[in-house]
Structure formats: C-alpha cells, structure tokens
Amino acid sequence: MVNKVSIVGAGAVGSALAFHLFSRLSFKEIAVVDVAEGLAKGVSLDIEDTRSFFDSSTQIIGTDDFCAISNSDIVVVTAGVARKDGMSRQDLLKINAKVAKDVSMHIKEHAPSAIVIVVTNPLDLITYIFAKETGFERNRVLGMGSSLDSARLLNILYEACKVSTSCFEAFVFGLHNNDMIVSTDKIRVKGEAVSKFLNKEAIKKIQDKTALRGGEIVSFLKNRSASFAPSFSIFRLIEAIYEDKNEIIPVCALLQGEYGLRNLCVGVPCVINRKGIEKIIEIELTEEEKQKILIAKKEFLQLKDLGL
Ligand code: NAI
C-alpha cells in the first residue's frame, strides 16, 4: 500500500505533481515541503480546494517543516534551482548538490523506509548523491529523466509520422542531458522498424530534436524550465509503484556492473513495482550506444571536482 507521498520542493514541477496525485489517486496523505516560507502551504490549500471536483478524501498538507515527511512511502525531490537560460550545468550542480545533501539528511531521519524519486537536475549526478547520502538499497533510489525524454520522443515521432503514439515502441536511456541515447534503432511502429516510415535524415532530426527539447523549452520560458511533461512523467512512475504494475520504465538507477558501469547513476530500462526498482533490464546495445553510455564515466568526474 502507498499511503503517503511527500514532495520536497513546491515549485513548478512539485506543485503540478501534487495536483496530479491529489486529483487522480487516493492516499491517506500528501505532504508538500518547501523552504520558501508559505509556498507549500499556499500550494496545498489551493489544491485542497479542488476536493469536491474529484470527491477526494486525501489529506494534503503544506509546510516548511521537514518533520511532515515522516512515514512517507514515497518521497519525490523537486527541490533546488531549475536551469535558467545561460546558466552552466556546473553552476546548477554546485547549488543543487548542496540541496541534495541537505534533503537526503532529512529523508534519512524522517522517512527511512521511503522510495526516493529524484527529479532535481543535473539528474544523474543528483540521484547518485541521494543514493550515497541516504545509503538506501538501490531499488529505493531512482531518478526521473529518461521517461520524460521518452515521452518527448513519442510526441516528436507523432509529429513526424502522424501515427497515434500508442503504435510506437520507443524509449530513451542514458544520461538525462544532451548526451542521452535516443535509440532510433529500437523504435518500432506496430512491430516494424521506423526506417520503413522515415528516411535516415528524418530519423536523425528526431534524435536531435528529442535531445535538445528541454533546452528548447528553456529558451522560450527564459527563467524557468518545463513542468507539465516532467510532473506527469513523475506521476506515471508513482502510479506504477502505487499499482504494483511491474511496468518497464527507463529510470536513473545506481549501476553496479550493468552495462559495464559501476558506482554511477544513469537512465536504463527497469521493472517498476511497489518495491521501486524490481529489476534493471540489460538490453543489447549497438556499438555506438555502447560508446555513448560510457560518457557517463566522464560526466561523473564532475562530482570528484566538487569533492563529492
Ligand atoms: P522551481 O524553482 O519552480 O522549484 C524549486 C523549489 O525548490 C523552490 O520552490 C525552492 O524554494 C525549493 N527548494 C530549494 N531548496 C530547497 C530545500 N533545501 N528544501 C526544500 N525546498 C527547496 O523549479 P522547478 O521548475 O520545479 O524544477 C525543480 C527541479 O527539477 C530543478 O532542478 C529542475 O532542473 C528539475 N527538473 C528536472 C526534470 C527531469 O526530467 N529530471 C524536469 C524538469 C525539472
């Protein structure tokens, strides 16, 4: 049973997620926590006022007190700074690594049995910090990134082929940044290779567009990043846990030898159920993908530079 979900960070992504959860699933409690005074409280009261529309009996509370996350089954972390136009990833890492250490400490103290879903960017590195700082078993710390990238790929495929997204089998894995692996090789349209529908040039465009989508959105929004698709991607992950679905979803997981990588977090297809990550699936990679997934090793050197 998932009785309680806590969301740390009541900004754009956290507040949208709180609303999806309140309006679509039933819990004993949703707790929203944010260091910004009054923010989580305001968000929770606003969401609570939709109760009659959904006939919801879920209690939702908002506070700046971390004690509120006590006894959570799931804690989602959207706390930190979002990438703004012109901000370097290293700057973002410095700020959010500090937040991650702080929030990990609170989770360890107040919600030691929770499954932690990390959303804060840079996703792969921040997920690793949570895995290390909480010391939780690796099935209980996962990052949401590749499932959002996969949703973006499906939308872009829809635009290119004008075929219902339900006809596609397609997913993205690897790092949650421009080096993500958009495996066009594995895309199927009702069982057929996508190359039957699109030429090489069109497929390459789809790959590039998917990898650059997050940045494209930031370039328009300027001082904030995407929130609708991210919050719904987290919702889908929680739903798979809530319903014990054994669904295969690409999530950022701590690898211990899988894909030739050890002691780092990267997006890979996993079976998701009530335990969090039930199983990491090792799919066959092309030579190009094998090289690309190894970029994660370089990415993780940044943590060493910060003494983490
Ligand atoms: P936002 O700026 O709207 O919200 C962040 C919230 O975190 C703020 O309300 C802030 O007060 C709060 N916060 C900061 N430090 C905190 C702490 N120590 N404890 C509790 N709360 C704290 O940002 P937004 O747009 O909601 O994004 C949140 C994070 O998620 C960012 O790092 C962003 O880059 C990331 N993100 C990740 C995605 C993914 O696919 N993994 C997709 C979209 C966003």
Side-chain angles (χ1 to χ4, degrees), residues 17-279:
L17 172 65
F19 179 64
H20 297 321
L21 292 173
F22 184 85
S23 56
R24 288 169 179 262
L25 297 176
S26 183
F27 301 97
K28 275 199 180 132
E29 189 180 331
I30 298 170
V32 187
V33 180
D34 198 294
V35 287
E37 202 188 332
L39 179 66
K41 180 78 181 168
V43 163
S44 67
L45 289 176
D46 187 15
I47 292 174
E48 196 181 47
D49 285 345
T50 68
R51 184 181 302 285
S52 61
F53 300 123
F54 309 111
D55 194 20
S56 171
S57 52
T58 298
Q59 189 192 4
I60 178 163
I61 59 153
T63 174
D64 56 7
D65 182 355
F66 272 91
C67 291
I69 71 170
S70 293
N71 301 319
S72 299
D73 299 296
I74 299 174
V75 178
V76 182
V77 185
T78 66
V81 172
R83 188 158 50 122
K84 297 180 179 65
D85 208 13
M87 188 187 232
S88 83
R89 289 203 287 127
Q90 190 70 18
D91 291 342
L92 188 70
L93 173 61
K94 268 190 204 152
I95 301 168
N96 287 347
K98 213 163 157 270
V99 172
K101 279 187 140 191
D102 184 46
V103 176
S104 296
M105 194 190 70
H106 289 297
I107 294 176
K108 223 173 138 175
E109 183 183 350
H110 299 294
S113 341
I115 294 170
V116 181
I117 300 179
V118 181
V119 183
T120 305
N121 276 322
L123 196 262
D124 308 281
L125 302 175
I126 299 293
T127 304
Y128 178 83
I129 294 174
F130 272 94
K132 287 291 147 191
E133 294 291 320
T134 59
F136 289 180
E137 306 91 317
R138 67 174 176 153
N139 63 299
R140 288 202 287 131
V141 182
L142 45 142
M144 190 293 294
S146 296
S147 60
L148 167 64
D149 299 326
S150 302
R152 286 173 170 161
L153 170 62
L154 287 171
N155 178 40
I156 292 164
L157 279 168
Y158 171 80
E159 285 296 328
C161 301
K162 288 286 179 255
V163 170
S164 160
T165 54
S166 65
C167 298
F168 293 107
E169 193 182 307
F171 70 98
V172 179
F173 60 104
L175 293 164
H176 178 57
N177 62 23
N178 295 356
D179 287 318
M180 67 181 72
I181 304 171
V182 184
S183 181
T184 47
D185 214 63
K186 295 178 178 60
I187 298 174
R188 291 285 174 276
V189 190
K190 284 277 178 206
E192 298 287 346
V194 72
S195 52
K196 284 208 171 166
F197 296 77
L198 298 168
N199 62 28
K200 258 189 175 168
E201 201 182 310
I203 293 172
K204 175 79 176 82
K205 267 193 189 157
I206 287 170
Q207 251 175 337
D208 293 346
K209 200 168 178 189
T210 305
L212 299 174
R213 187 60 151 203
E216 182 190 357
I217 293 171
V218 174
S219 78
F220 287 111
L221 296 176
K222 306 282 184 215
N223 56 0
R224 62 190 181 92
S225 61
S227 56
F228 292 106
S231 57
F232 213 79
S233 304
I234 312 164
F235 173 79
R236 280 279 192 246
L237 209 44
I238 294 177
E239 196 180 41
I241 297 169
Y242 181 94
E243 292 178 4
D244 201 17
K245 269 188 170 171
N246 284 320
E247 195 172 339
I248 298 176
I249 302 177
V251 297
C252 181
L254 179 65
L255 300 186
Q256 294 299 9
E258 296 87 358
Y259 295 97
L261 295 168
R262 189 169 289 280
N263 210 26
L264 50 78
C265 293
V266 76
V268 288
C270 293
V271 177
I272 303 295
N273 65 17
R274 178 61 190 89
K275 290 187 214 150
I277 298 174
E278 171 66 44
K279 190 176 177 214

